[in-house]
Amino acid sequence: MKLVVVSAGLSVPSSTRLLADRLAAATDRHTPVDVQIVELRDLAVEIAHNFTSGFPGRALSAALEAVAGADGLIVVTPVFSASYSGLFKSFFDVLDQDALTGKPVLIAATGGSARHSLVLEHALRPLFAYLRAVVVPTAVYAASEDWGAEGLAERIDRAAGELGRLMEGMGSVRRAAAADATQDAPAAVDTDTAAAIAPRLIDGVVNSADRFTVVPFEQQLAALRP
């Protein structure tokens, strides 16, 4: 499975990138994944040009394709003015609006003060709900005082475990749907189905009743005839 990590850190070294790396490593310990890092700092100019020209540059296009093709995402932003950074938001503004539909996403943020921890709930979670992603329950915020303190490692491990189980579960549901689909009606897992079964996938509980089955129109019509 492919895990893409989007880091919006600006400095070098970056606490945002450090948190992103720790989350990716923890996810890989729970569920083996191929990790790809997308550093938004390196794409800032191309993102700006995309807004004015309507076309992504080569590096930005590759990053957008990687995100759209991922089995799961980890997204990490520094907190600016009590919200996500403008660079972070701009990247997801130029992403295709359907690219994250039904995709498992772990949200995280870094900041100088613990007072900004609610940015995860009042800014990031609504953004990815709007994009129809499936956001894992545990979000991770790291203030300056959290590094080296008790609690951060446990939150990272818990969130990574939830993401890993959700990625595995969604993959199983997609494979089951593909096996059940007819030749004339390709299988898909819609957003409502993904949202409904996500809690059970996170808990590791998936059964045949959770499969999304496509019923051909002719079969539906026949069922309505007297």
Side-chain angles (χ1 to χ4, degrees):
M1 288 187 294
K2 181 181 178 182
L3 173 66
V4 172
V5 181
V6 178
S7 171
L10 297 178
S11 60
V12 180
S14 164
S15 60
T16 300
R17 174 60 187 272
L18 176 59
L19 180 58
D21 288 343
R22 290 193 179 183
L23 287 165
T27 303
D28 188 53
R29 287 194 299 270
H30 285 277
T31 303
V33 289
D34 294 324
V35 179
Q36 179 177 346
I37 305 293
V38 174
E39 279 280 11
L40 298 188
R41 179 185 62 245
D42 301 332
L43 301 173
V45 173
E46 289 195 19
I47 291 172
H49 286 168
N50 194 151
F51 279 111
T52 57
S53 69
F55 297 97
R58 182 176 300 176
L60 177 58
S61 180
L64 295 173
E65 289 178 6
V67 168
D71 295 298
L73 293 180
I74 294 173
V75 297
V76 192
T77 179
V79 175
F80 290 166
S81 301
S83 188
Y84 36 64
S85 72
L87 178 60
F88 181 87
K89 180 62 162 56
S90 295
F91 176 76
F92 289 100
D93 282 344
V94 300
L95 183 69
D96 184 270
Q97 63 180 358
D98 296 322
L100 300 187
T101 300
K103 196 180 299 294
V105 176
L106 191 166
I107 57 175
T110 59
S113 168
R115 293 192 299 273
H116 291 304
S117 60
L118 286 177
V119 69
L120 295 166
E121 304 303 327
H122 73 66
L124 270 77
R125 197 176 295 275
L127 170 63
F128 288 96
Y130 174 79
L131 294 173
R132 293 174 290 176
V134 180
V135 185
V136 303
T138 301
V140 180
Y141 179 82
S144 298
E145 61 266 28
D146 289 328
W147 298 102
E150 294 184 3
L152 179 59
E154 289 75 10
R155 294 198 303 274
I156 288 174
D157 187 69
R158 182 169 64 248
E162 291 172 355
L163 177 63
R165 289 191 293 275
L166 191 55
M167 289 173 64
E168 288 182 335
M170 293 298 291
S172 297
V173 171
R174 284 193 295 269
R175 289 190 293 272
D180 290 343
T182 63
Q183 184 175 357
D184 295 331
V189 179
D190 65 16
T191 308
D192 293 337
T193 301
I197 67 174
R200 281 169 284 170
L201 296 177
I202 292 168
D203 292 334
V205 179
V206 184
N207 55 52
S208 59
D210 292 323
R211 295 182 179 183
F212 180 82
T213 303
V214 178
V215 179
F217 175 74
E218 293 79 4
Q219 184 176 336
Q220 297 180 50
L221 186 61
L224 296 175
R225 295 192 183 107

